[in-house]
Amino acid sequence: MRILVTGGAGYIGSHTVKLLLARGHAVTVYDNLSFGHRDAVPKETLVVGDLKDIDHLDQIMVVNQIEAVIHFAAFAYVGESVTNPAKYYQNNLLNSMNLLERVRRLGIPRFVFSSTCATYGVPTAMPITEDEKQSPINPYGNSKFCFEKMLADYAAAYPLGFTALRYFNASGAAPDGSIGEDHTPETHLIPLVLQVALGQRPHIEIFGTDYPTSDGTCIRDYIHVDDLAEAHLLALEKIQPNQGNFYNVGIGRGYSVREVIQVAEEVTGKKIAVKEAPRRAGDPPSLVAGSDKIRRELGWQPKYTQLRAILETAWNWHKAHPKGYGDK
Ligand code: UDP
C-alpha cells in the first residue's frame, strides 16, 4: 500500500514507519520536525511540511498516489493543553479536520487515527473497555475525542473507512537500538527514570503517593511501541469502506509508578533516587486497557507482555543514545 504517515518522525510514528517499510509498504512521512527527528526515519521517505499547510499536504498525497493515511501528528502534553487549549484545538482538531476533508475529496479509502485513553477521562470500571463512557478531563483528550466523532460521522456518510486506536502508555524502543524515545521536554516516567539511572538527573519525582492504589502511586498500562505499531498495520489491513472501529491498545496489566522504578533498578543495575511529590493535575489513579476487542477482531497479540522486557529495550536505547537523537 502507498501510505502517508503524518507525524511519522515522532516516537510512535517512526516505529510504525520502520514496521511498514519492513513489510514492504511504500511510505511517505509528513512531519514538520517540531517534535519529530530527521534521523528517526529513512531520508528518502521524509517530506518536511506542516499539517496546517493543507495545500502542500494535498499535493504530497496526490503526487505519491496515497491509498491510506495514518495520522499521528498532534501535540500531546496534557498540562500544556490546559493552559493553551487554542494550540491543541488548532493543531489536533482543526488541522486534522482539514486533512480528513482532503482525504475524503481525494477518495483515499483508509484512515488510521492515533487516539488515546485520555478520551475516557476518569473511567468508572477497570480494565477499561471501548464501551466505557468517554468523558475527557482536559483539552488534549477533548481534541482527540472530537476528532473521533468527526471520523464516525464521515464514515457513516462517505465511502471512507477508519480505525481509531486508543493508546495506553507507549514505551520501549526498537530492539535493534536504531530508534527510540526522545521528547523535548521529556515528561514521561520511563525515560525520566532511565535518565536518573544514567546520572543525567538527580532523582525521579513520584507524582502522588496517596492514590487509592496498592502502593499509593498511579497505575498505568505500559505498551511496547512496536506492539502499538503492529496494531496500526493490522488496523490498516482490515479497514472497510463506510466502517469505523475503535480499539484500546494496551497489554491489560497495570504497573504502579513505584513498580516501574523497581523494575528499572533491576534492569539497569542502578539505584534510582526518588522524591515524593504532590499529585500532578489531571492524572487519573489507574488506567488499564481492556484489549479483548482488538485481540479478537484484528488478531492483535502483544509480544511484550512484561514490563521488564519493555524496559530492557528502552534502556538499550538510552544507554546507546544518552542525548537522544541530539538534534534538539
Ligand atoms: N509520573 C511520575 N513522575 C514523573 C513523570 C510521571 O510520577 O516524573 C507518573 C505520572 O503521574 C503517571 C505515570 O507516571 O501516573 C505515567 O506518566 P507519563 O507522563 O509517563 O504518562 P501519562 O500516563 O501521563 O500518559
Side-chain angles (χ1 to χ4, degrees):
M1 243 183 270
R2 292 184 294 276
I3 304 167
L4 177 86
V5 184
T6 73
Y11 173 44
I12 305 171
S14 59
H15 287 77
T16 305
V17 167
K18 188 168 159 48
L19 185 66
L20 291 169
L21 292 170
R23 301 275 169 87
H25 294 287
V27 177
T28 303
V29 173
Y30 192 82
D31 198 303
N32 67 1
L33 300 180
S34 64
F35 289 100
H37 305 278
R38 194 176 283 279
D39 291 341
V41 289
K43 236 196 335 277
E44 62 280 7
T45 64
L46 178 65
V47 175
V48 178
D50 202 294
L51 212 53
K52 67 174 180 289
D53 192 354
I54 192 66
D55 291 332
H56 179 222
L57 183 49
D58 192 302
Q59 182 202 337
I60 295 298
M61 290 194 283
V62 172
V63 168
N64 291 284
Q65 298 175 294
I66 293 301
E67 299 167 294
V69 172
I70 306 183
H71 180 38
F72 289 103
F75 295 137
Y77 291 111
V78 169
E80 183 187 51
S81 80
V82 176
T83 54
N84 193 356
K87 183 172 171 181
Y88 281 70
Y89 283 106
Q90 284 286 329
N91 191 43
N92 295 6
L93 190 55
L94 191 57
N95 292 342
S96 298
M97 287 168 68
N98 285 332
L99 167 63
L100 184 62
E101 177 54 12
R102 294 300 175 105
V103 164
R104 177 182 82 84
R105 286 194 215 166
L106 291 173
I108 297 170
R110 296 180 179 83
F111 196 95
V112 179
F113 176 55
S114 304
S115 192
T116 166
C117 62
T119 58
Y120 293 114
V122 181
T124 55
M126 206 63 57
I128 305 166
T129 66
E130 290 81 359
D131 304 328
E132 174 72 37
K133 186 171 163 10
Q134 287 176 290
S135 190
I137 55 170
N138 51 59
Y140 166 68
N142 277 327
S143 69
K144 293 281 183 175
F145 177 61
C146 291
F147 192 65
E148 278 196 4
K149 292 286 174 208
M150 180 176 173
L151 278 169
D153 290 341
Y154 264 49
Y158 309 123
L160 171 95
F162 78 89
T163 297
L165 298 174
R166 296 178 186 148
Y167 310 156
F168 284 65
N169 288 58
S171 46
D176 65 6
S178 58
I179 52 176
E181 187 167 13
D182 176 8
H183 299 110
T184 305
E186 188 53 81
T187 61
H188 295 103
L189 179 65
I190 290 177
L192 289 175
V193 165
L194 297 179
Q195 287 173 6
V196 177
L198 282 172
Q200 296 175 336
R201 291 177 188 268
H203 55 255
I204 182 77
E205 285 189 327
I206 300 181
F207 295 147
T209 53
D210 59 349
Y211 282 100
T213 59
S214 50
D215 64 15
T217 66
C218 282
I219 291 176
R220 294 288 179 273
D221 184 332
Y222 295 90
I223 162 91
H224 194 281
V225 65
D226 279 353
D227 284 328
L228 267 184
E230 189 70 51
H232 291 78
L233 229 91
L234 292 168
L236 208 57
E237 286 161 5
K238 294 264 170 78
I239 288 176
Q240 298 292 327
N242 254 158
Q243 273 185 23
N245 270 306
F246 301 92
Y247 296 108
N248 290 341
V249 201
I251 61 174
R253 162 145 187 215
Y255 292 89
S256 74
V257 174
R258 286 197 199 281
E259 282 173 325
V260 171
I261 295 167
Q262 190 200 324
V263 177
E265 286 186 332
E266 288 164 19
V267 166
T268 63
K270 313 266 184 200
K271 178 86 195 121
I272 292 166
V274 304
K275 198 169 153 196
E276 295 186 1
R279 292 181 178 196
R280 185 173 70 176
D283 272 344
S286 184
L287 293 172
V288 178
S291 54
D292 289 357
K293 190 177 172 208
I294 189 167
R295 290 170 196 259
R296 197 176 57 241
E297 294 186 7
L298 299 188
W300 177 78
Q301 193 99 47
K303 284 201 199 84
Y304 295 85
T305 54
Q306 300 295 321
L307 182 61
R308 189 188 173 99
I310 296 176
L311 276 172
E312 278 166 358
T313 64
W315 179 229
N316 197 22
W317 159 258
H318 283 276
K319 253 188 330 194
H321 305 270
K323 293 194 164 68
Y325 290 96
D327 58 350
K328 302 279 180 213

